[in-house]
C-alpha cells in the first residue's frame, strides 16, 4: 500500500518501480497536474481524491483493479477510457467539478456506480454495457439535461 497525502510541492509522480503495489491513495497533493496509473498488474484499489491542480488521469490496463474512486479533483477535465479494467466492480466519480465528458466502456463487471456533483458533464454516459450494475446513484450533476437508463 502507498499513500501520498498532503505533499504540497509534488508536481510529478512516477511509481513504476512498485509493480506489486495493491493499494494506492493519492490525496491532497495540490500541485500534481497529471497522473498516469497504468499497467500495474497487482493494483486492486485506487483512490484519487482532492488533488486540485490535477487536469487529466490515465487509468488503464489494471487487470486486478476492483475499486476506483476519483473524487473532489476540482480542475480534472478528463479521465482516460477505462480499457483493461474488466474487474472493476465499484466506481465513484464524484465532485470533479470541471470534468467535461465520461465513458463507462470497458467496465463490464461494474456493479456499483456513484456519479455525482460533476457540474460540467452535459451528457450522461451510456450504461447499456453495464449488465452487472445493481446500484446506481446519479446526483448533483447540474449540466446533465437528458438521462436514459
Amino acid at each position: 500500500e502507498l499513500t501520498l497525502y498532503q505533499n504540497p510541492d509534488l508536481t510529478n509522480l512516477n511509481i513504476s518501480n512498485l509493480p506489486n503495489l495493491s493499494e494506492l491513495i493519492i490525496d491532497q497533493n495540490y500541485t500534481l497536474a497529471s497522473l498516469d496509473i497504468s499497467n500495474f498488474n497487482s493494483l486492486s484499489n485506487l483512490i484519487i481524491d482532492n488533488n486540485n491542480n490535477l487536469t487529466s488521469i490515465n487509468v488503464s490496463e489494471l487487470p486486478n483493479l476492483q475499486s476506483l474512486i476519483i473524487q473532489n479533483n476540482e480542475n480534472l477535465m478528463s479521465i482516460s477510457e477505462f480499457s483493461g479494467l474488466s474487474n472493476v466492480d465499484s466506481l465513484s466519480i464524484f465532485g470533479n467539478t470541471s470534468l467535461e465528458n465520461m465513458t463507462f466502456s470497458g467496465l463490464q463487471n461494474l456493479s456499483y456506480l456513484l456519479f455525482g456533483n460533476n457540474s460540467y458533464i452535459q451528457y450522461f454516459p451510456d450504461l447499456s454495457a453495464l449488465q452487472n450494475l445493481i446500484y446506481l446513484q446519479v446526483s448533483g450533476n447540474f449540466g446533465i439535461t437528458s438521462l436514459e437508463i
Side-chain angles (χ1 to χ4, degrees):
E1 178 180 325
L2 173 61
T3 299
L4 297 167
Y5 179 70
Q6 289 187 341
N7 298 286
D9 296 323
L10 181 67
T11 57
N12 184 32
L13 177 61
N14 181 348
I15 57 170
S16 61
N17 292 324
L18 300 172
N20 296 318
L21 194 63
S22 64
E23 184 169 321
L24 176 59
I25 301 169
I26 302 170
D27 188 6
Q28 297 183 30
N29 299 285
Y30 298 120
T31 56
L32 190 62
S34 66
L35 190 56
D36 185 353
I37 306 294
S38 55
N39 296 308
F40 279 87
N41 291 334
S42 299
L43 196 62
S44 60
N45 297 301
L46 176 58
I47 299 171
I48 302 168
D49 185 14
N50 208 7
N51 301 284
N52 293 340
N53 203 36
L54 195 61
T55 59
S56 66
I57 297 174
N58 178 16
V59 287
S60 60
E61 304 306 322
L62 302 171
N64 291 309
L65 192 67
Q66 296 171 347
S67 175
L68 175 58
I69 299 170
I70 301 174
Q71 63 186 21
N72 301 318
N73 300 290
E74 291 178 359
N75 292 307
L76 181 65
M77 295 186 309
S78 67
I79 300 172
S80 64
E81 289 191 22
F82 294 120
S83 63
L85 302 182
S86 59
N87 285 319
V88 171
D89 63 5
S90 176
L91 175 63
S92 176
I93 306 289
F94 189 88
N96 302 293
T97 54
S98 298
L99 189 62
E100 295 176 347
N101 55 42
M102 192 75 228
T103 179
F104 296 125
S105 62
L107 297 171
Q108 60 266 26
N109 287 318
L110 192 66
S111 61
Y112 175 95
L113 175 58
L114 170 61
F115 192 84
N117 293 356
N118 302 297
S119 318
Y120 273 61
I121 296 283
Q122 293 182 356
Y123 304 101
F124 191 74
D126 180 19
L127 298 178
S128 62
L130 304 180
Q131 299 298 311
N132 293 318
L133 196 63
I134 57 174
Y135 178 88
L136 173 64
Q137 179 182 337
V138 179
S139 61
N141 301 291
F142 296 110
I144 294 178
T145 58
S146 177
L147 185 61
E148 184 177 330
I149 299 175

